Amino acid sequence: MQVYKEPIMKNSLNSLTLLLPLFFLFSCSAPQTAVEETPPTVSKNTGTDISATAALSLKEEFQPTADKDTNANSQSCNNEQVKLTSDFAAGRMDECKRTGEYEYSITLVPENTPINSSPWYAFKIQAKQVTDITITMQVQGDKHRYPPKISRDGNKSWQLQDYQLKGERLIMKVKASPQSVTIAAQEIINNQYYVDWAEELTVQSAFTQSILGLSTQGRPIYKIESRDENSNEWVVILGRQHPPEVTGALALFPFVETLLSESELSKYFLRKYNVLVIPNINPDGVHAGNWRSNANGMDLNRDWNDFSQIETQLINDYLKGLVAQGQKIKFAVDFHSTKNDIFYTMPVDYGVESSYFVRHWLGELDRQMPNFNVVLRPGNNPNLGVSKQYFSDQFGVHAITYEMGDNTDRTKIKRIAFKSANILMINMLSETDHDKE
């Protein structure tokens, strides 16, 4: 286990080198992708598809009607033979121009500047007949972060799309046909996906899904709860503050499923601890395909001091309401994505209770997963406005930012989440003195 003593969590990825996953697999309850990283700048797709299971039908009360609106960032490039469109939830290609008979140029534009380097794109391609087209993508004032993925079956399974990098241009040749295909920066996990996932998780259990409140543009922000009347201590799980950080979502799903499973360990854990999950804090940004921000152009993970945005206000008010009722916030995990797998933590000498708890938890994860390098980066910056710092300063407890790499093997992401959730439960139930190293 590596522990770096750095003062601040850093999300800048301007120097990211695009890694090339060999193939991607996607599943319904927790999208997974098996990835082998290879050094060339031209990729060859040799993977096979595994289709997702059918999603459950939604209960009317949980339908996010705002997502039926046309995406404000939708664009289209159409001629009589071929069309490129982004008029769907999470779709985005900003500027699209036809530059030749079957050649197209797409420019990705951030919602505001300065901004973290996370250029998101997602668009569909369809042709009246089979046609070879060339697409060149550039990023306005930035570089590409995400290698393109393609889905040929309605976003159920994904593979890496062949591409070349020439300077700051990403060039791909695609065979368009009457069957629509989707090209995207990462697997598309839109707002509806979260509702379906939560419904499946709660349909035959005592767990509940309900609306915490509405986002800036009026979309529901859902919470999932497991609550025991004899418990007053809470574990809080947050996700999707930053829309493109899909691998964070791919970790959150199996992590939560493990905590809320039917295992004997989970049953025992849920008798002692309540669990609050808010998996999709930024539904407006997710719907718009934003790089970083909510509908007001604000980075929500810089708003945990000021609470200037309704999304963070809702969570802060709810947690303070729990405390006012005699409840206690015990621990929090916030899921994100970055270049590599990193756990941003609070320093052991910061003054939170059970000061070595996170070190014990992730140290055991490191021991049990010898092929996974557990990297801890302790940091403390009260003025930054990140959720990790908020939980420590407001409630005096540990919190971590759980970051998965953009191109980390998707099966590995699931294994890490399963193992880390189980070890977390064991450590929280143990009699270990977490105030001692």
Side-chain angles (χ1 to χ4, degrees):
M1 179 175 67
Q2 298 180 21
V3 180
Y4 296 92
K5 293 185 178 179
E6 295 192 354
I8 184 172
M9 169 180 146
K10 299 188 178 182
N11 288 319
S12 177
L13 296 172
N14 291 329
S15 62
L16 175 64
T17 300
L18 295 178
L19 303 177
L20 304 184
L22 182 64
F23 65 94
F24 286 81
L25 305 176
F26 187 97
S27 81
C28 183
S29 79
Q32 305 163 41
T33 307
V35 179
E36 292 183 11
E37 296 174 356
T38 54
T41 57
V42 181
S43 64
K44 299 292 183 181
N45 173 34
T46 60
T48 56
D49 297 354
I50 294 180
S51 296
T53 57
L56 292 175
S57 60
L58 294 176
K59 296 179 182 177
E60 185 66 29
E61 61 199 287
F62 290 145
Q63 288 188 353
T65 54
D67 273 1
K68 298 174 183 176
D69 300 338
T70 300
N71 191 331
N73 294 309
S74 64
Q75 292 286 327
S76 64
C77 272
N78 298 337
N79 61 27
E80 292 183 358
Q81 296 298 322
V82 181
K83 65 178 181 178
L84 282 65
T85 60
S86 60
D87 57 347
F88 56 92
R92 187 164 188 150
M93 59 180 176
D94 295 303
E95 298 174 3
C96 180
K97 297 179 181 178
R98 184 184 173 201
T99 57
E101 185 176 8
Y102 297 116
E103 296 179 354
Y104 300 86
S105 173
I106 294 174
T107 302
L108 308 179
V109 181
E111 59 266 23
N112 52 37
T113 56
I115 196 169
N116 181 273
S117 180
S118 306
W120 175 263
Y121 53 92
F123 52 90
K124 294 180 180 179
I125 305 170
Q126 192 171 24
K128 288 187 176 180
Q129 59 188 22
V130 176
T131 306
D132 292 321
I133 67 171
T134 300
I135 298 172
T136 300
M137 291 200 307
Q138 299 182 82
V139 184
Q140 180 177 290
D142 210 329
K143 299 178 181 179
H144 288 283
R145 170 172 170 175
Y146 304 109
K149 290 85 181 173
I150 186 168
S151 175
R152 298 179 175 87
D153 57 6
N155 304 342
K156 295 176 183 178
S157 61
W158 295 85
Q159 301 82 41
L160 187 69
Q161 166 64 33
D162 293 350
Y163 71 96
Q164 290 182 313
L165 283 177
K166 291 187 176 180
E168 296 183 357
R169 296 178 300 151
L170 190 155
I171 302 169
M172 51 186 155
K173 297 183 183 297
V174 181
K175 191 173 292 293
S177 73
Q179 179 180 354
S180 175
V181 300
T182 304
I183 300 283
Q186 295 280 48
E187 302 93 322
I188 292 176
I189 301 177
N190 60 22
N191 295 326
Q192 190 63 53
Y193 187 98
Y194 285 96
V195 181
D196 295 349
W197 170 75
E199 186 180 64
E200 185 173 2
L201 190 67
T202 60
V203 68
Q204 292 182 333
S205 71
F207 314 135
T208 61
Q209 178 184 207
S210 59
I211 296 174
L212 176 65
L214 301 181
S215 67
T216 298
Q217 293 182 333
R219 293 185 173 86
I221 297 173
Y222 292 95
K223 62 181 174 70
I224 302 165
E225 287 184 320
S226 169
R227 191 165 187 170
D228 189 292
E229 61 182 12
N230 296 316
S231 173
N232 72 337
E233 294 187 319
W234 288 79
V235 175
V236 181
I237 311 293
L238 306 178
R240 209 67 183 275
Q241 294 199 67
H242 300 144
E245 297 183 8
V246 168
T247 55
L250 298 181
L252 179 147
F253 294 136
F255 190 94
V256 171
E257 289 166 6
T258 303
L259 292 184
L260 304 185
S261 72
E262 290 295 313
S263 72
E264 291 304 314
L265 175 61
S266 178
K267 291 176 182 177
Y268 188 35
F269 180 78
L270 296 176
R271 286 197 293 268
K272 185 170 183 180
Y273 296 103
N274 301 316
V275 177
L276 168 66
V277 184
I278 307 173
N280 184 19
I281 296 175
N282 188 2
D284 295 342
V286 169
H287 180 74
N290 283 353
W291 294 21
R292 186 79 169 177
S293 309
N294 73 344
N296 289 329
M298 295 292 294
D299 182 342
L300 294 180
N301 205 32
R302 298 296 182 270
D303 194 47
W304 291 89
N305 280 337
D306 298 335
F307 301 102
S308 65
Q309 302 303 300
I310 188 63
E311 292 86 356
T312 51
Q313 290 172 22
L314 287 167
I315 300 170
N316 181 50
D317 291 347
Y318 189 73
L319 295 177
K320 286 188 172 181
L322 288 176
V323 173
Q325 298 167 18
Q327 304 290 298
K328 175 178 173 53
I329 308 304
K330 187 68 175 177
F331 183 59
V333 184
D334 185 9
F335 285 86
H336 288 259
S337 305
T338 188
K339 181 179 178 180
N340 298 307
D341 308 320
I342 298 173
F343 298 94
Y344 290 102
T345 68
M346 295 303 294
V348 294
D349 60 355
Y350 188 67
V352 297
E353 65 180 46
S354 302
S355 56
Y356 286 94
F357 168 73
V358 168
R359 186 81 64 83
H360 291 165
W361 167 39
L362 295 178
E364 184 61 25
L365 177 65
D366 190 57
R367 284 187 287 275
Q368 292 194 26
M369 299 194 73
N371 295 324
F372 173 54
N373 185 26
V374 176
V375 178
L376 274 64
R377 292 215 173 152
N380 164 38
N381 191 322
N383 298 319
L384 191 59
V386 299
S387 65
K388 168 178 74 78
Q389 186 86 36
Y390 159 78
F391 280 97
S392 296
D393 291 345
Q394 184 67 42
F395 305 109
V397 299
H398 268 295
I400 73 163
T401 307
Y402 184 127
E403 303 254 13
M404 284 288 98
D406 295 332
N407 302 304
T408 298
D409 180 293
R410 271 42 172 182
T411 301
K412 183 177 180 181
I413 289 175
K414 186 173 183 179
R415 287 200 309 268
I416 295 166
F418 172 78
K419 185 70 74 174
S420 62
N422 275 299
I423 297 172
L424 175 70
M425 291 188 284
I426 291 170
N427 273 262
M428 293 189 73
L429 292 169
S430 75
E431 299 298 325
T432 301
D433 185 352
H434 294 299
D435 283 316
K436 296 181 180 179
E437 187 169 11

